[in-house]
Amino acid sequence: CVAYIAFIQETSRSFGVSSAALTAVLMLVLGPLCLIRSVHRLQIPVLLSTALAFCGLGIVIWYNSLALLQGPRQRDLLAFKPRTCVLFLGTATFAFAGIPMMLPIRNAMKEPSEFWGLFVKAFGLVATLECLFGLAGYSAYGEEVKQVVLLNLPGDRPPALAAKLAYLTGLVCGFPLMFVPAALTAELCLFGNAPKGQRKWHKNLLRILGVASCGAAALQGGATFERLLALIGALCSAPIAFVYPCVFHIQLCPGGLLLDVFLLVLGISAMALALGQAI
């Protein structure tokens, strides 16, 4: 959630918008949206978010293709950069940030048994898009590629402006869904299994404070966006992706101990390396 707001701040700077003012406006918009507790009611914002994101990504690919047609910058391209490889590891680990959404989405499905097949297809598509955009952006702009590739688009062209606005709007619409697991976990820890309707305003206040905390953290760390992503990847995404599943699997299924220990060590090592580089 912090990364969503930081991404919006980073991209909005190209419009000359103050990060502090933008964050204040975002809090007014995201606060009420994050009070929605039902995943079903978030279907329309999520669909809108996905559609806008694909529109923005399509325009990015178009401009990347135009840049590549002018000739790839081969002298700038390096297959491996030791100085920033560990920072990349933390940033890449951030791609696992959406894992906590798996169970809420599955539980909200009309036919949960269809989840795994859809997940495999969606995960394959996302992984392919990540590799495609990373390679296309670096090949097109070389060392001049920005941390957010949207910033490489020509700022005075209507399609480029449309891509930025579409992607930013999509992030705002998708934020409440990403906020759901954290909010539910915090409410369960603080209020327990309270009957529906009880302590409603306490929970609402907790959600508002959560959104405000995300905004404050993004405002503080957004100036170094790449390091912020690596830090979030090291502290949040790596444990969710590698550490917690292995710990739970060891307790539930002791038979696969060797693989679990290997992945556990891999995850902790990635956390330590990425954290050290990010700090």
Side-chain angles (χ1 to χ4, degrees):
C1 294
V2 174
Y4 269 48
I5 298 176
F7 188 99
I8 295 173
Q9 293 173 350
E10 181 77 10
T11 307
S12 298
R13 290 193 186 100
S14 62
F15 297 112
V17 179
S18 165
S19 295
L22 176 67
T23 303
V25 173
L26 284 175
M27 296 303 98
L28 295 176
V29 175
L30 295 177
L33 285 176
C34 288
L35 297 181
I36 300 175
R37 289 174 168 76
S38 172
V39 176
H40 290 287
R41 295 179 181 177
L42 293 174
Q43 287 179 356
I44 294 178
V46 169
L47 289 175
L48 179 61
S49 169
T50 304
L52 290 172
F54 272 104
C55 290
L57 294 178
I59 296 174
V60 170
I61 280 290
W62 170 257
Y63 277 107
N64 285 354
S65 301
L66 292 179
L68 286 171
L69 290 175
Q70 297 174 0
R73 308 184 183 192
Q74 297 178 353
R75 291 177 296 177
D76 294 337
L77 304 183
L78 298 174
F80 181 71
K81 297 171 69 175
R83 184 174 58 86
T84 58
C85 67
V86 179
L87 190 63
F88 164 76
L89 178 63
T91 306
T93 308
F94 176 75
F96 291 95
I99 282 184
M101 286 308 308
M102 290 178 60
L103 289 179
I105 291 176
R106 181 186 181 277
N107 294 336
M109 290 179 62
K110 185 177 181 179
E111 299 180 9
S113 60
E114 302 292 330
F115 173 78
W116 183 247
L118 293 173
F119 169 75
V120 171
K121 295 176 184 177
F123 188 86
L125 176 62
V126 170
T128 301
L129 289 176
E130 295 235 1
C131 294
L132 173 64
F133 277 89
L135 180 61
Y138 187 46
S139 300
Y141 304 109
E143 290 297 316
E144 297 177 5
V145 68
K146 305 292 185 182
Q147 296 174 355
V148 178
V149 74
L150 290 172
L151 301 180
N152 281 106
L153 303 184
D156 57 343
R157 303 289 179 84
L161 295 175
K164 294 177 183 179
L165 290 174
Y167 209 83
L168 294 180
T169 306
L171 287 176
V172 171
C173 293
F175 183 92
L177 182 64
M178 292 297 296
F179 187 76
V180 166
L184 292 178
T185 302
E187 289 173 0
L188 182 62
C189 292
L190 292 177
F191 305 119
N193 292 314
K196 186 176 180 180
Q198 288 190 7
R199 296 195 173 185
K200 178 179 179 180
W201 289 107
H202 294 81
K203 295 179 179 179
N204 289 346
L205 178 60
L206 178 63
R207 290 185 175 228
I208 295 296
L209 291 176
V211 174
S213 300
C214 291
L219 189 61
Q220 182 68 27
T224 53
F225 181 68
E226 187 177 14
R227 292 185 179 276
L228 177 63
L229 282 189
L231 185 64
I232 296 173
L235 293 178
C236 303
S237 300
I240 291 173
F242 298 106
V243 178
Y244 300 151
C246 294
V247 172
F248 297 151
H249 192 260
I250 289 174
Q251 294 179 348
L252 297 174
C253 307
L257 184 61
L258 184 60
L259 179 59
D260 287 328
V261 171
F262 171 76
L263 292 176
L264 189 61
V265 172
L266 180 66
I268 294 175
S269 301
M271 288 174 57
L273 290 172
L275 184 60
Q277 185 73 28
I279 295 177

